[in-house]
Amino acid sequence: MKYKTDISEGKVLCHLCELLHDDKEHECSQCGEKLHQRLPDSLAQTWGYLLAATLFLIPANLLPMMVVTAMGTEDASTIMEGVVYFFHHAEYGLGGVIFIASVAVPVFKLGVIYYLLLVVQFKQHDKAMGGLKLFHIIHVIGKWSMLDIFVVAMMVSMVQFQGLATIETGGAAIAFCAAVIFTIIASEKFDPRLMFDNEVIKEEEVK
Ligand SMILES: [Zn+2]
C-alpha cells in the first residue's frame, strides 16, 4: 500500500488555515503560522500525556466519586459502585449514562490512542486508514467526555435541593477530570498523518 503525502509531494500544510505551501517555506503566507509537516514531538508528547491519563484513571476508579451523608451515616462509593447502585435500584438510564461516560468512553479513548501510537511505532501501514477512522471517532466523542462530571453535579444539586441527604464529590472526581483532560491533550498532540509516513520513506528508498 502506497500513500501520497505532503512530504512525498514536497509540500507542507498549514496547521491553522490548511493552506498548502511548498516545503521550502517556513511561514504561512495566509495566516503567518509557523509551518511544520508534522506536529513537533508528536509521538513523545502523545505517549507522555497518555501515560499520565492512564495513571490518573487508577485513583479515579479506586477513590470515592460520591460521598452521601444521610441521617448521620456517611456512604462513599466509587464510580463502579455507583453504577451497580443505580442498576440495583432500577435506575437503568442514570446507571447507563454513568457507565458509558465514566468507564466505557475513557477506556475506549485510551485504547484507541495506544493503538494509533503502536500503528505508527510498528509501521503498520495497512492499518492506517482504519486508524484514521478511529481517530475521527474519538474526536467526535471527545465533546462528551465531561458528561460524567455533569451528571454528578446535577445529582448533587438535585438531592441537596430536596433536602434528602448531602452528596459531595470525592477525590475520584479530581483524578477523573485530570484523566479526561490528559486524554484530550494526548489526542490533540497525536498527528494522524504519521501513520501514513514510513511508506513514503520506503518509496523514496526504492527510487
Ligand atoms: Zn496558515
Side-chain angles (χ1 to χ4, degrees):
M1 205 177 296
K2 290 182 198 305
Y3 295 109
K4 271 190 183 176
T5 68
D6 50 352
I7 293 176
S8 71
E9 303 301 297
K11 300 283 183 195
V12 55
L13 191 72
C14 174
H15 287 296
L16 210 60
C17 69
E18 303 195 335
L19 189 72
L20 203 59
H21 297 75
D22 199 81
D23 66 359
K24 285 166 195 72
E25 286 173 54
H26 300 288
E27 239 173 45
C28 177
S29 58
Q30 183 162 271
C31 70
E33 180 77 0
K34 261 195 179 158
L35 295 172
H36 310 281
Q37 275 171 321
R38 298 294 172 263
L39 292 176
D41 302 323
S42 173
L43 280 186
Q45 292 205 31
T46 308
W47 273 117
Y49 286 112
L50 190 61
L51 291 175
T54 310
L55 287 179
F56 273 110
L57 267 193
I58 298 167
N61 280 284
L62 294 182
L63 293 176
M65 187 62 141
M66 281 193 333
V67 181
V68 181
T69 312
M71 288 179 249
T73 53
E74 205 178 82
D75 190 20
S77 55
T78 63
I79 292 174
M80 273 315 288
E81 284 166 352
V83 172
V84 170
Y85 173 87
F86 286 119
F87 273 90
H88 211 250
H89 288 77
E91 296 277 0
Y92 301 111
L94 206 50
V97 167
I98 295 177
F99 179 76
I100 291 168
S102 54
V103 181
V105 170
V107 170
F108 175 74
K109 283 189 75 174
L110 286 182
V112 166
I113 303 172
Y114 276 111
Y115 174 78
L116 297 177
L117 284 170
L118 293 176
V119 167
V120 175
Q121 305 250 265
F122 291 100
K123 302 174 177 48
Q124 300 288 310
H125 302 288
D126 51 333
K127 299 193 171 65
M129 281 311 289
L132 194 60
K133 279 184 193 134
L134 286 171
F135 182 76
H136 286 311
I137 291 171
I138 61 166
H139 263 246
V140 170
I141 61 177
K143 291 173 194 158
W144 302 94
S145 292
M146 297 306 275
L147 190 66
D148 183 69
I149 298 295
F150 176 71
V151 169
V152 172
M154 206 172 63
M155 281 192 309
V156 168
S157 57
M158 255 166 48
V159 176
Q160 282 183 342
F161 181 71
Q162 293 169 346
L164 296 175
T166 52
I167 298 187
E168 284 166 352
T169 51
I174 298 161
F176 184 77
C177 280
V180 167
I181 290 165
F182 282 128
T183 308
I184 292 171
I185 301 174
S187 71
E188 290 295 325
K189 292 290 176 190
F190 181 75
D191 193 331
R193 292 172 295 186
L194 292 170
M195 293 189 292
F196 298 89
D197 274 350
N198 289 300
E199 193 63 37
V200 173
I201 294 166
K202 267 188 206 161
E203 243 180 289
E204 283 167 358
E205 281 168 356
V206 171
K207 284 175 202 168

